Amino acid sequence: MLASTTDRAMAHAHVHNHHHGHDHAHGHGHHGHSHAPADFGRAFLIGIILNTGFVAVEAGAGLIYGSMALIADAGHNLSDVLALALAWIASIAAKRPPQGRFTYGYKSSTILAALANALLLAVAIGAILFETLHRIMNPVEPQGMAMIAVAGVGIAVNGFTAMLFVRGQKDINIRGAYLHMVADALVSLGVVAAGLLILLTGLAWIDAAVTLLILAVIGWSTWGLARDSVAMGLNAAPQGIDLADVKRHLAGFDGVSAVHDLHVWPMSTTEVALTAHLVMPGRPATDRFLRDLAASLENRFGVHHATLQIESGDDPCAHPCGDPFGAPC
């Protein structure tokens, strides 16, 4: 596993004396190796153009034929257009090199985009819910055939757009765009079903009921997006990385007697950073050791930037008391 370091993670590693008498070791991917997601610029552009055109058609049809289900679906699609645009802009910004005070570059812009998208969805839910309740008080019979025709186009547009992002599932931003489009296609399918039921039964309240169901689906996805983006913004360890497992992995290297002050956080939606103190009595941290350690963290946990402080263990309370990943003082 570690033999792949020259190709996948040629890690820089250097050791210098710290003013407290400890050593710091830094290991991270070579600057020439990009951890940025694949370029989906063309997919974003096609998706934005197609969905913007469909939003205009669907919202107009909803107003003309009196279908709040169509208007609700159009509102959701509009929020997804904005989501695609924000994700696209953030993915471009994330590729910019570090400069000035932005020593990590603009990688975290992808996290900000996810949080902004959650807020946009929340605003759309509130506006659609208000109009739906107003329509329930003042019912207007929608035209089922128009709902079926327009939502049918929505299934095709959203399904095609989703296919553009199928191969980018490892990036949470791309996966989010894909899932949004798949959800839109399913919501449009619900509108088609509502149109069929209205044609068969003549019951106008079915339109409002389907609208509320659509809002529930949007609300559920919004909550998940908001929860995950806030966690990322608070530098929580990414889902799927078990900190106790990371500690055991580091402690398993030859010469490491203890690990403390372990921190893992997302630099962006695709890159993960790690810092830790390794107690290594009687053994220096060689460049080869640091390269192997950095490569193993990338291979096993997807950590792209590792900063390690090496300690001799002379001071048993060199770390802050209460550190959950270190021995007690």
Side-chain angles (χ1 to χ4, degrees):
M1 178 175 70
L2 301 180
S4 63
T5 56
T6 54
D7 294 328
R8 292 190 62 254
M10 276 297 290
H12 294 303
H14 61 272
V15 179
H16 59 83
N17 290 328
H18 187 262
H19 65 277
H20 288 306
H22 305 300
D23 289 329
H24 286 276
H26 303 271
H28 53 83
H30 192 278
H31 290 295
H33 174 75
S34 175
H35 299 292
D39 187 6
F40 281 84
R42 187 165 175 266
F44 277 122
L45 181 60
I46 293 173
I48 288 171
I49 291 174
L50 284 177
N51 282 273
T52 299
F54 178 64
V55 164
V57 171
E58 189 173 37
L63 292 172
I64 292 172
Y65 296 110
S67 171
M68 273 309 299
L70 283 176
I71 295 175
D73 194 27
H76 186 201
N77 280 312
L78 178 60
S79 70
D80 282 342
V81 169
L82 296 176
L84 286 173
L86 281 171
W88 188 14
I89 293 171
S91 67
I92 294 173
K95 295 175 184 176
R96 295 185 61 185
Q99 60 182 22
R101 294 165 55 203
F102 300 92
T103 57
Y104 276 132
Y106 300 88
K107 301 177 188 301
S108 294
S109 59
T110 53
I111 298 174
L112 295 177
L115 183 57
N117 285 333
L119 294 175
L120 285 172
L121 281 167
V123 171
I125 289 173
I128 296 169
L129 181 60
F130 177 81
E131 184 59 32
T132 301
L133 295 175
H134 175 73
R135 185 59 61 88
I136 291 174
M137 301 269 198
N138 304 278
V140 175
E141 183 176 352
Q143 297 191 23
M145 188 56 70
M147 292 172 62
I148 294 171
V150 176
V153 175
I155 295 173
V157 169
N158 291 315
F160 175 75
T161 305
M163 295 303 295
L164 297 175
F165 298 103
V166 166
R167 62 186 178 86
Q169 301 302 294
K170 289 185 178 180
D171 180 355
I172 190 175
N173 254 1
I174 302 299
R175 187 166 72 248
Y178 169 76
L179 293 175
H180 268 295
M181 294 299 109
V182 170
D184 283 348
L186 294 176
V187 168
S188 294
L189 184 61
V191 176
V192 170
L196 287 171
L197 289 173
I198 289 171
L199 285 178
L200 293 173
T201 65
L203 299 174
W205 61 263
I206 292 175
D207 179 64
V210 170
T211 302
L212 294 176
L213 182 61
I214 291 172
L215 289 178
V217 172
I218 300 171
W220 179 258
S221 61
T222 300
W223 165 248
L225 180 61
R227 179 194 59 214
D228 293 343
S229 58
V230 168
M232 282 187 162
L234 293 174
N235 288 337
Q239 289 185 350
I241 294 183
D242 185 339
L243 294 180
D245 193 21
V246 175
K247 177 179 178 293
R248 284 192 296 269
H249 177 74
L250 292 172
F253 274 78
D254 187 29
V256 178
S257 64
V259 178
H260 63 89
D261 285 288
L262 172 63
H263 303 279
V264 182
W265 72 96
M267 294 174 59
S268 71
T269 55
T270 59
E271 294 189 46
V272 179
L274 174 150
T275 60
H277 292 214
L278 306 183
V279 180
M280 300 181 64
R283 173 176 174 175
T286 64
D287 288 352
R288 175 61 183 271
F289 173 85
L290 296 171
R291 282 197 299 269
D292 288 351
L293 186 51
S296 73
L297 287 170
E298 180 168 9
N299 291 335
R300 181 165 176 178
F301 301 104
V303 172
H304 305 99
H305 302 266
T307 302
L308 305 169
Q309 178 167 311
I310 309 302
E311 300 173 356
S312 65
D314 293 337
D315 183 359
C317 283
H319 58 85
C321 294
D323 173 19
F325 294 100
C329 289

